[in-house]
Amino acid sequence: MNKQQVRKQIFAGNWKMYTTKREAVELAIGIASGMNIIDREVVLFPPSVYATCVVDACEGTPVKVGLQNMFYEKEGAYTGELSPRMLKDVGAGYVLVGHSERRHIFGETDELIHKKVISAIAFDIIPVLCVGELLEERELGKSESTVESQLIKAFAEIGEQGARKAVIAYEPVWAIGTGKVATPEIAESMHTFIRNTLKKLYNDSVAMTIPVLYGGSVKPDNIAGLYAMPNIDGVLVGGASLTVQSFLDIINVTL
Ligand code: 13P
């Protein structure tokens, strides 16, 4: 069986702290009207303040919307935070958890990320757990141990049923926003390692079910090589998801 028959294939755009309201809506409409492949899920992660507009723009289309972050409590005195209940309320079905910019700029710890994964699953929101090593860690030969530790901590105490709802994004920090994409071989080897770690934490069936996306300088000219790899189940795109044509060129890639 090929990967499309075994796992959901996901092509996601993380808009980070870019776009105006008008640009966000135009981008969503352009993407929804230009996608022509039905064997994959397209998910947009707009800035949270535009979530409702983007959800409205995608209504009646297959395009899904997620948010880039959330807090783990249902509600409370947490100024500036968004709760899983709010995400559900506006129609966001996905959330990015542990993105490297959250880990490294905002100091998010593995413990906090773990609580967010649990909360997302409890609220029936798909967590896209981001993992990946720094350049120093790669150079020291610690890529696998770093990612293994991030996975073990994020999935601690999460049972098989919960784990099956998660998606993982392997985003090597040295490839994010740098134009230095991982080669398909490096990415595939890390994705295989992630799947083997899931096998150890759970079992074969869970490991085969969870989609593992690649992120880090994905562009129209490198998507074909990456997506040809058997363990790359889609991509999480930053910069190239901010223009309709480049994101369409990525999501419409054929195998
Ligand atoms: P770039 O595609 O801009 O490298 O960003 C990747 C990323 O961080 C997606 O979450």
Side-chain angles (χ1 to χ4, degrees):
M1 278 204 283
N2 60 32
K3 61 185 180 182
Q4 292 94 329
Q5 294 166 304
V6 182
R7 299 177 282 279
K8 203 192 305 186
Q9 304 292 298
I10 301 172
F11 284 63
N14 173 9
W15 297 353
K16 306 194 180 184
M17 201 174 72
Y18 291 103
T19 75
T20 61
K21 181 161 90 173
R22 189 197 175 115
E23 286 163 356
V25 169
E26 286 176 1
L27 202 44
I29 292 172
I31 291 160
S33 53
M35 58 178 283
N36 60 22
I37 295 205
I38 48 162
D39 69 350
R40 55 196 72 161
E41 180 129 304
V42 172
V43 190
L44 306 177
F45 291 91
S48 52
V49 71
Y50 306 139
T52 305
C53 310
V54 172
V55 168
D56 289 349
C58 295
E59 209 186 313
T61 79
V63 176
K64 302 280 193 296
V65 179
L67 289 195
Q68 299 172 17
N69 186 27
M70 67 170 207
F71 192 52
Y72 55 81
E73 293 287 0
K74 185 172 89 175
E75 60 184 9
Y78 301 103
T79 300
E81 293 294 321
L82 297 172
S83 79
R85 202 167 66 159
M86 294 169 184
L87 268 68
K88 287 295 282 187
D89 194 30
V90 299
Y94 284 80
V95 65
L96 299 182
V97 180
H99 189 279
S100 85
E101 287 144 20
R102 302 292 326 164
R103 291 178 191 261
H104 299 295
I105 302 174
F106 299 100
E108 288 200 7
T109 61
D110 284 313
E111 180 56 24
L112 178 63
I113 290 162
H114 169 56
K115 287 183 176 162
K116 290 183 179 192
V117 174
I118 292 180
S119 174
I121 292 170
F123 279 85
D124 205 22
I125 297 166
I126 299 171
V128 179
L129 170 69
C130 303
V131 297
E133 78 285 0
L134 296 163
L135 181 61
E136 302 89 276
E137 290 164 333
R138 171 150 290 267
E139 285 172 351
L140 289 169
K142 291 186 174 166
S143 304
E144 292 189 350
S145 58
T146 300
V147 167
E148 181 178 43
S149 158
Q150 290 169 341
L151 289 171
I152 291 172
K153 289 172 183 161
F155 280 104
E157 299 151 29
I158 294 178
E160 180 177 335
Q161 285 314 105
R164 283 179 185 278
K165 295 182 184 158
V167 170
I168 293 172
Y170 169 61
E171 298 207 305
V173 182
W174 47 270
I176 296 178
T178 59
K180 278 191 217 159
V181 64
T183 62
E185 292 71 27
I186 290 179
E188 174 67 10
S189 128
M190 289 302 292
H191 283 225
T192 306
F193 175 77
I194 289 167
R195 226 176 275 297
N196 286 335
T197 306
L198 292 171
K199 207 180 284 185
K200 277 196 250 165
L201 290 176
Y202 296 98
N203 52 47
D204 263 6
S205 153
V206 172
M208 291 308 285
T209 308
I210 296 184
V212 184
L213 319 183
Y214 169 79
S217 297
V218 175
K219 306 284 176 217
D221 65 2
N222 57 36
I223 181 65
L226 289 162
Y227 194 53
M229 294 291 134
N231 284 293
I232 298 184
D233 303 314
V235 282
L236 179 55
V237 186
S241 72
L242 289 168
T243 51
V244 172
Q245 197 52 53
S246 63
F247 196 49
L248 286 177
D249 287 346
I250 292 171
I251 63 185
N252 289 330
V253 70
T254 46
L255 266 183

